[in-house]
């Protein structure tokens, strides 16, 4: 039971700022206006303003047609970027495979040259002995 009561109290304390706050409009001597959560002076002062929270009934309910179009464009752009990244990754894999094939062909050619040299040296040794 204590847990439930503590949970409810904690929830109310945390959600209290969401219900609305008092802000103070404080002009300074140079004419600039600042908005803050505390009164302008320790004894009070400044114009108190009640800040109302935005009702959140649904993201799309609050969003204008322009906002929805912007979000749609953003989603399409992100999707296109992801597709391009996937294509680039495939190309990089193909390039790596070709590099491996080239390395293997170079190693094979080097082994063939070494074998040819060994055969040539062996034939030269046989000819000299005769």
């Amino acid at each position: 039971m204590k847990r439930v009561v503590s949970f409810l109290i904690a929830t109310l304390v945390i959600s209290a700022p969401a219900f609305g706050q008092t802000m103070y409009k404080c002009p300074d001597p140079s004419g600039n206006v600042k908005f803050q959560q505390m009164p302008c002076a320790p004894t009070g002062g400044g114009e108190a303003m009640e800040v109302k929270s935005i009702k959140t009934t649904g993201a799309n309910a609050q969003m204008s047609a322009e906002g929805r179009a912007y979000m749609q464009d953003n989603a399409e752009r992100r999707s296109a970027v992801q597709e391009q990244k996937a294509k680039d990754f495939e190309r990089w894999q193909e390039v790596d495979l070709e590099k491996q094939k080239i390395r293997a062909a170079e190693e094979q050619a080097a082994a063939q040259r070494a074998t040819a040299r060994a055969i040539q040296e062996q034939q030269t040794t046989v000819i000299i002995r005769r």
Side-chain angles (χ1 to χ4, degrees):
M1 184 66 184
K2 288 183 181 181
R3 279 186 171 174
V4 173
V5 172
S6 328
F7 177 74
L8 288 175
I9 291 172
T11 304
L12 288 174
V13 168
I14 291 171
S15 64
F19 294 120
Q21 288 183 322
T22 301
M23 297 290 291
Y24 294 91
K25 183 178 179 181
C26 302
D28 62 6
S30 63
N32 294 328
V33 177
K34 293 182 182 178
F35 294 93
Q36 57 191 38
Q37 293 178 346
M38 297 171 26
C40 301
T43 58
E47 180 184 342
M49 303 169 52
E50 189 68 28
V51 179
K52 296 178 182 175
S53 62
I54 298 173
K55 293 179 184 176
T56 55
T57 56
N60 288 338
Q62 297 293 329
M63 197 179 302
S64 66
E66 255 179 50
R68 282 191 291 275
Y70 173 77
M71 294 297 285
Q72 181 66 29
D73 288 345
N74 252 1
E76 289 171 3
R77 223 175 292 123
R78 274 188 248 121
S79 176
V81 166
Q82 290 294 6
E83 288 175 17
Q84 187 61 43
K85 284 183 180 180
K87 289 178 184 177
D88 289 345
F89 183 72
E90 287 178 21
R91 282 191 215 120
W92 291 331
Q93 285 181 325
E94 291 172 3
V95 167
D96 284 342
L97 183 61
E98 290 301 316
K99 285 179 181 179
Q100 289 174 1
K101 288 179 183 178
I102 290 170
R103 271 188 240 117
E106 288 173 348
E107 290 172 2
Q108 184 179 12
Q112 288 174 347
R113 283 192 298 273
T115 304
R117 260 187 256 119
I119 292 172
Q120 188 177 19
E121 287 174 6
Q122 186 180 21
Q123 289 175 349
T124 307
T125 307
V126 170
I127 292 174
I128 293 176
R129 287 186 184 167
R130 286 188 188 175

